[in-house]
Amino acid sequence: MHNLGLGEQRGHVLLIAGDAAVRRRGVQVAPSANVAALGVVPVSALLNSGVPYDTTYLDGARDPNTVLMRLRTAAATPGPLLVYLSGRLTADRRADRLHLALAGTTAGSVRYTALPWEWLGTELACRPAGLTTVLLDLVADKAAWPLLQEYGSLPASPSAEVYGVVCPPGWQGAGLVVSSYTRAWIDQLRASPTRPANLQLHALAVGAAALPPGSLVLPGARELAMATPPGPVPGQAVAHPGEEHRRAEAPRPQQSARVDLPDDPRPHIHSLATAGRHSEAALLAQAWEQYVHQTHGPDSPEALDWVEIRADLARMAGDFRLATQLWSGAVRTRLGSQAPDAADVHAAAAGALYCWTQLKDAGAALETGPDLIRLLRVLPALDPRHLQLAQHRLEFLHREPSRR
């Protein structure tokens, strides 16, 4: 049993990079890149604490017992603990046990060279509640995915807060770069003037990350909705189960000072969207956008944030025409105050291009394509392949009149 005494508080960050997940020679998740990126984030931000700390990096480990000893040392710390794991989730097919693949793990050597998943729960089980966070950025291989689907979750320990994503085996990754979920955590930690709660960070990261369909999100929409009950939106009646959702009205300025607003409505809006309640999510986002127009102005950065939130909600709902229009509008707005090579401008342009390529209606694609191409042309630092992709598709659509 770990000795978690009441002595001097000391925190610990344990960053574990398992085996990379590779499909058809393409890297789906690059654990080393993820760990390296997290390693430069201030530990006080990772732990949400200013206590003294220790940091342990494990990259390229081949012996599960080595990982176990580092995990046991970290679990014995008396203060806050963050355990981050990235890599390939695999399974011992004989025993139906999940493992984190380590460097050199093969299908035939899982039980000898990979870390049994239950070891994580065993080592964290004795820690006091509220001091432990487990952050996961994983890809399940073909052996692990059916077992993971059967479980429907990936528990670590009842005493730990567990956040993360597990992507399915059949998708093409982004290569040797920081994965989008981990990158979104880092971006939110750097951008927020006050450190958001872990649940908010997770919800925002899931919303910003380009996760493949079917990814397991921990916690998912149901848990997010339970953990972040919605507060009343200005001018909007709270909908109870069984009631018809009513369109939110714009708040009157004299009401604004008297309305008790939730700290951040985005986790709840995202949970609605991921649960398939797209109309409710869109209406709620529109209500907040109207409120921001009243309080900050329609051209404010806060208002632009809500345009991009609505764009992503439209993408999640499959309304790629609206998503393309909203992302394109965000690009134009950002160009009014930001340089054409700004990262936010390129991110909005990438969102517009992706959604436009998903448009199945040739007429809608032909209608929105020229405006998108004009936007891409004024971004000199943009990858030229993006512009070429849009031009080629538009030319193809013009040559295919039967599709209109």
Side-chain angles (χ1 to χ4, degrees):
M1 179 179 293
H2 301 307
N3 180 20
L4 294 175
L6 297 178
E8 179 187 0
Q9 287 290 297
R10 191 172 186 87
H12 199 116
V13 171
L14 175 59
L15 306 177
I16 301 175
D19 190 30
V22 179
R23 178 176 183 264
R24 296 178 181 175
R25 298 184 180 179
V27 178
Q28 295 172 301
V29 64
S32 297
N34 288 344
V35 165
L38 276 172
V40 299
V41 177
V43 172
S44 58
L46 292 176
L47 292 177
N48 196 19
S49 174
V51 300
Y53 59 85
D54 299 298
T55 305
T56 302
Y57 301 87
L58 276 179
D59 189 356
R62 292 179 173 271
D63 181 3
N65 289 298
T66 299
V67 181
L68 175 62
M69 295 307 297
R70 298 295 187 274
L71 179 61
R72 185 166 296 170
T73 299
T77 190
L81 169 65
L82 170 69
V83 179
Y84 173 83
L85 301 101
S86 182
R88 174 169 62 94
L89 194 67
T90 189
D92 173 6
R93 294 181 179 178
R94 287 187 181 181
D96 282 341
R97 297 169 64 195
L98 291 170
H99 291 67
L100 177 69
L102 302 178
T105 296
T106 64
S109 68
V110 171
R111 62 176 59 191
Y112 310 109
T113 62
L115 180 75
W117 192 257
E118 64 265 24
W119 286 10
L120 178 65
T122 299
E123 295 306 315
L124 299 179
C126 295
R127 287 185 55 80
L131 287 178
T132 309
T133 303
V134 177
L135 184 59
L136 310 172
D137 197 336
L138 304 169
V139 173
D141 64 16
K142 291 182 179 180
W145 188 246
L147 195 58
L148 193 63
Q149 294 292 95
E150 179 183 337
Y151 291 164
S153 183
L154 190 59
S157 169
S159 64
E161 296 180 18
V162 182
Y163 304 99
V165 294
V166 186
C167 297
W171 69 286
Q172 190 63 43
L176 295 170
V177 298
V178 180
S179 59
S180 59
Y181 176 76
T182 295
R183 170 56 62 191
W185 264 77
I186 295 170
D187 289 345
Q188 289 297 328
L189 284 172
R190 288 175 173 169
S192 302
T194 58
R195 205 270 197 190
N198 286 335
L199 184 62
Q200 291 176 318
L201 281 170
H202 168 70
L204 294 172
V206 170
L211 298 178
S215 296
L216 178 65
V217 177
L218 306 165
R222 179 177 300 177
E223 292 85 356
L224 280 174
M226 292 174 62
T228 56
V233 173
Q236 179 191 26
V238 177
H240 297 282
E243 288 186 358
E244 182 179 356
H245 188 83
R246 293 178 287 184
R247 182 176 295 273
E249 301 174 354
R252 292 189 291 272
Q254 63 268 25
Q255 290 179 325
S256 299
R258 298 199 303 267
V259 176
D260 182 19
L261 301 178
D263 291 336
D264 188 345
R266 289 173 291 182
H268 176 62
I269 291 173
H270 182 263
S271 73
L272 289 175
T274 54
R277 297 162 64 182
H278 299 293
S279 296
E280 294 173 68
L283 287 171
L284 199 54
Q286 288 173 355
W288 272 93
E289 184 180 32
Q290 292 168 359
Y291 172 72
V292 168
H293 284 186
Q294 292 277 347
T295 55
H296 296 279
D299 298 324
S300 64
E302 292 82 1
L304 180 56
D305 286 343
W306 281 100
V307 172
E308 296 185 342
I309 289 170
R310 289 181 55 220
D312 203 48
L313 290 174
R315 174 193 63 80
M316 295 174 71
D319 189 346
F320 293 108
R321 180 174 186 166
L322 176 60
T324 301
Q325 293 169 338
L326 289 171
W327 279 121
S328 297
V331 175
R332 286 191 291 270
T333 302
R334 288 194 178 279
L335 284 173
S337 60
Q338 294 179 268
D341 60 351
D344 289 339
V345 174
H346 281 195
L353 176 59
Y354 170 78
C355 292
W356 184 70
T357 62
Q358 301 305 304
L359 266 173
K360 305 303 180 186
D361 183 339
L366 283 167
E367 179 184 345
T368 54
D371 180 56
L372 174 62
I373 289 174
R374 282 192 292 270
L375 284 175
L376 297 180
R377 281 176 176 160
V378 302
L379 306 180
L382 186 74
D383 187 334
R385 292 175 296 181
H386 293 171
L387 178 58
Q388 293 168 5
L389 170 65
Q391 290 173 325
H392 291 165
R393 185 176 190 230
L394 193 60
E395 292 169 1
F396 174 79
L397 291 171
H398 277 298
R399 292 196 303 267
E400 295 290 327
S402 62
R403 289 193 171 195
R404 299 181 199 175

